[in-house]
Amino acid sequence: ELLLMDMIAKEQELLPEHFGILIIHCHRNRLWTKVREWMDRALSVDKVPGVKSFNCTLYACCRMEDLEGARSLLDYMTTHGLQPTIYTYTTLLHCYVSEGLLHEAESIFGSIHEVGLEPADVTYNLMCLAYVKAQNLPKVVQLWDEMQQRGHKLDMPVVRRIIQMHVDLQCTGTQLQWLLQMMQSSDAPLGRDDYHQ
């Protein structure tokens, strides 16, 4: 970083790779504001770094709760020929789920399929968590069915949230049968307390 700062001080031209190094360095050190500043500076001088730098910046925006900034980065990528990765979409999905923005989360999740990417386990778990937060049991069931067909698994914290949602909604009959089936098919180690609920 010091070498690159020296280059800037001497008004030497920085290449996109230089900005990428600075962005990734700041990201690793959790300097979220600096990550965003370096990306803004790179874009202002048309030195567009690679996708990894965009992913780091998108994550930094989410950490700073700058959802508009994160979304604008994704839009910039798609309009300037950079191919967002599943990590790109999953990071933005995490931001929306954390903020309880179900419509935006559904939009990003739909975009993943539209661009031909395969959601990862973490992507599915985040979307399932969004439906759990909204207490939308039919959508949880629908998403779980899709996960089963594609060979994806629910994580233990999400399974426990689904169990709690059933308790909160006072589910009975078919809903409890589905819950038991989901719990039995889960690779997550469930204890006696999980079944007791």
Side-chain angles (χ1 to χ4, degrees):
E1 182 178 15
L2 293 175
L3 176 63
L4 295 174
M5 295 302 290
D6 186 52
M7 289 176 69
I8 292 169
K10 293 178 181 175
E11 297 183 8
Q12 293 176 327
E13 182 179 357
L14 292 180
L15 300 173
E17 296 82 24
H18 295 134
F19 284 104
I21 290 168
L22 286 166
I23 290 166
I24 292 168
H25 170 77
C26 292
H27 179 267
R28 286 184 181 144
N29 290 289
R30 302 174 189 258
L31 303 170
W32 310 128
T33 304
K34 286 284 190 192
V35 169
R36 184 58 204 235
E37 287 173 7
W38 282 117
M39 178 60 80
D40 290 344
R41 190 167 183 175
L43 298 180
S44 73
V45 294
D46 291 324
K47 302 293 183 183
V48 180
V51 172
K52 185 173 182 178
S53 297
F54 273 88
N55 289 343
C56 289
T57 308
L58 197 140
Y59 182 81
C61 287
C62 293
R63 293 299 301 232
M64 296 185 301
E65 299 180 0
D66 178 10
L67 300 182
E68 286 183 35
R71 183 60 203 219
S72 70
L73 282 171
L74 177 63
D75 293 342
Y76 183 95
M77 291 175 75
T78 57
T79 58
H80 287 81
L82 293 167
Q83 183 62 46
T85 64
I86 191 61
Y87 180 83
T88 310
Y89 288 103
T90 301
T91 301
L92 191 54
L93 180 64
H94 182 267
C95 294
Y96 290 141
V97 172
S98 295
E99 294 297 318
L101 301 170
L102 180 60
H103 178 71
E104 290 82 352
E106 288 178 317
S107 175
I108 287 298
F109 191 76
S111 297
I112 293 168
H113 292 290
E114 289 171 12
V115 299
L117 292 173
E118 175 67 24
D121 279 352
V122 67
T123 314
Y124 275 112
N125 277 275
L126 283 167
M127 196 63 230
C128 193
L129 185 59
Y131 290 133
V132 169
K133 284 182 168 186
Q135 294 194 332
N136 189 333
L137 183 57
K139 286 290 195 175
V140 170
V141 172
Q142 179 184 354
L143 190 62
W144 181 76
D145 287 341
E146 181 181 327
M147 290 176 71
Q148 292 293 294
Q149 291 171 6
R150 293 176 178 248
H152 294 280
K153 301 287 183 186
L154 286 170
D155 293 337
M156 189 66 210
V158 178
V159 170
R160 287 203 168 110
R161 294 285 298 268
I162 293 170
I163 294 168
Q164 187 59 52
M165 179 182 68
H166 277 73
V167 171
D168 295 344
L169 295 175
Q170 299 177 354
C171 295
T172 60
T174 311
Q175 296 165 332
L176 288 179
Q177 289 174 350
W178 175 84
L179 177 63
L180 186 58
Q181 178 187 0
M182 184 270 307
M183 290 169 64
Q184 289 171 341
S185 71
S186 172
D187 285 343
L190 297 170
R192 184 177 62 206
D193 291 342
D194 296 311
Y195 285 96
H196 179 68
Q197 283 190 343

